Amino acid sequence: MTSGNNGASTPEDDDPFGYLYADGQANGAQPPSGGGYGYPNSVNRVRAVGQRQYGQPAPGQQQTAAYGQAPQQQGAYGQPNAHYAAPETFPGGGAPTAPQQTGHGGGGGRRGPNTKGLLIGAIAVVAAVVIGIGVAMMNGNSDDKAGGGASPTSTTSQNTKPSQSPSNATSTDLPKTDAKDLQLGGGATRASDVKGAKSDGGTYVTGFNAVGSSITWTVDNIPAGGKYSVYVGYSVPGKDATATLTVNGTPSKTPVGLKNWAGAAQGDYEKGWTKTYNWVQLKKGTNTVNLSCGQGNQCDALIDQLWLVKGWVGS
């Protein structure tokens, strides 16, 4: 097969520097003046500035998509893209905007802490505490008015040695009685053999150590109802004793303490004279004060006097 003359446009002869050689000049190669290789049929693609964008496919060509993405078909040059729509074509005449999410959305957003509920709960707790304190203070004031928490018929026995002497503790307008004026019951009797009794004539009540024995004092002329302290003068033979105090028919909740405050030796009644007191509530006018030896009491004591003092001593 005989090869023909393919002309100067064959790729092997398309030498951009052909015009420098004799054979190139013989084939019509000329120095470049418009952007070609110098041969008459050299391709000269001249474009206006800004017309071609590098990295974009030529008009009518399909754009190569990135890995994992679907390719998009580029329309012909000058034709609208099928995937493009002008903003005015959307509903409302403007470009679509992303939906705005608020913090109080019903289904999508995450709700923050219910600070309003926490505040209401805290206020409720504080209010409950304040109300409780108020009620406690009201009850405390009521108890003070009624007798410091004790019922009108309850009594309290002392736990320390009384500091007042019988003469100082006696009020001129309050009653006082000696053993000779008391009403006795059970096996209680009067005697005056033991020295040291402070009652008139040295008389005292003895035989008080048997269960059922009692001493009753009917107190007249109480000027006003309220708090009083009832004193008991007594002697114990070097050991503690107890008794039951009953005011207006109601016994005390705690026994009367007849302690050996004088520090007398065992069996020494003469050195054992001392006193004690109990808190009571009395009414205006006449009251009944009863001292008795009940079940569970140790009543080995001599009683010489009883008297009253206004208010609760030591309170």
Side-chain angles (χ1 to χ4, degrees):
M1 183 174 180
T2 304
S3 61
N5 185 5
N6 295 325
S9 61
T10 57
E12 63 271 17
D13 293 331
D14 194 8
D15 188 352
F17 303 102
Y19 67 91
L20 297 177
Y21 306 100
D23 55 352
Q25 294 175 3
N27 291 326
Q30 296 179 359
S33 60
Y37 283 158
Y39 287 92
N41 59 349
S42 298
V43 178
N44 185 8
R45 297 180 178 88
V46 180
R47 295 178 176 84
V49 176
Q51 182 178 353
R52 181 169 183 176
Q53 298 179 357
Y54 293 94
Q56 301 294 331
Q61 294 183 354
Q62 183 177 359
Q63 182 178 2
T64 303
Y67 177 77
Q69 297 182 355
Q72 298 180 359
Q73 180 68 32
Q74 179 86 17
Y77 180 75
Q79 298 296 325
N81 193 329
H83 298 281
Y84 172 80
E88 59 270 16
T89 62
F90 287 91
T97 58
Q100 296 182 357
Q101 186 177 11
T102 61
H104 300 284
R110 179 181 178 183
R111 301 188 59 159
N114 190 358
T115 55
K116 184 176 180 180
L118 294 177
L119 179 59
I120 293 175
I123 293 175
V125 171
V126 173
V129 172
V130 172
I131 292 173
I133 294 174
V135 172
M137 293 179 65
M138 291 177 63
N139 291 338
N141 292 336
S142 300
D143 291 341
D144 289 342
K145 294 178 181 179
S151 63
T153 57
S154 65
T155 61
T156 301
S157 179
Q158 67 171 14
N159 292 320
T160 58
K161 183 177 181 179
S163 59
Q164 292 177 298
S165 65
S167 58
N168 293 335
T170 302
S171 176
T172 56
D173 58 350
L174 293 178
K176 176 184 178 181
T177 187
D178 289 338
K180 62 183 180 63
D181 297 323
L182 295 173
Q183 181 182 348
L184 306 182
T189 60
R190 294 179 181 89
S192 57
D193 299 337
V194 177
K195 304 300 181 182
K198 297 179 175 61
S199 61
D200 186 16
T203 304
Y204 55 85
V205 176
T206 186
F208 188 67
N209 56 353
V211 175
S213 60
S214 63
I215 300 170
T216 302
W217 178 28
T218 301
V219 188
D220 297 322
N221 302 323
I222 298 299
K227 300 176 181 179
Y228 292 86
S229 297
V230 55
Y231 273 80
V232 178
Y234 66 96
S235 175
V236 288
K239 60 181 180 179
D240 296 341
T242 59
T244 300
L245 180 64
T246 302
V247 177
N248 294 326
T250 303
S252 63
K253 296 180 180 179
T254 57
V256 179
L258 303 174
K259 296 186 178 181
N260 183 25
W261 296 119
Q266 183 72 25
D268 191 354
Y269 282 99
E270 187 174 342
K271 301 295 184 181
W273 290 103
T274 184
K275 61 184 178 294
T276 187
Y277 63 83
N278 282 73
W279 295 344
V280 296
Q281 286 277 348
L282 300 179
K283 62 183 181 179
K284 182 178 179 180
T286 302
N287 294 262
T288 301
V289 179
N290 179 271
L291 194 67
S292 62
C293 183
Q295 294 290 342
N297 292 145
Q298 303 293 329
C299 310
D300 192 0
L302 307 177
I303 310 297
D304 68 341
Q305 287 183 319
L306 279 81
W307 68 95
L308 293 174
V309 173
K310 178 65 177 177
W312 286 354
V313 176
S315 63

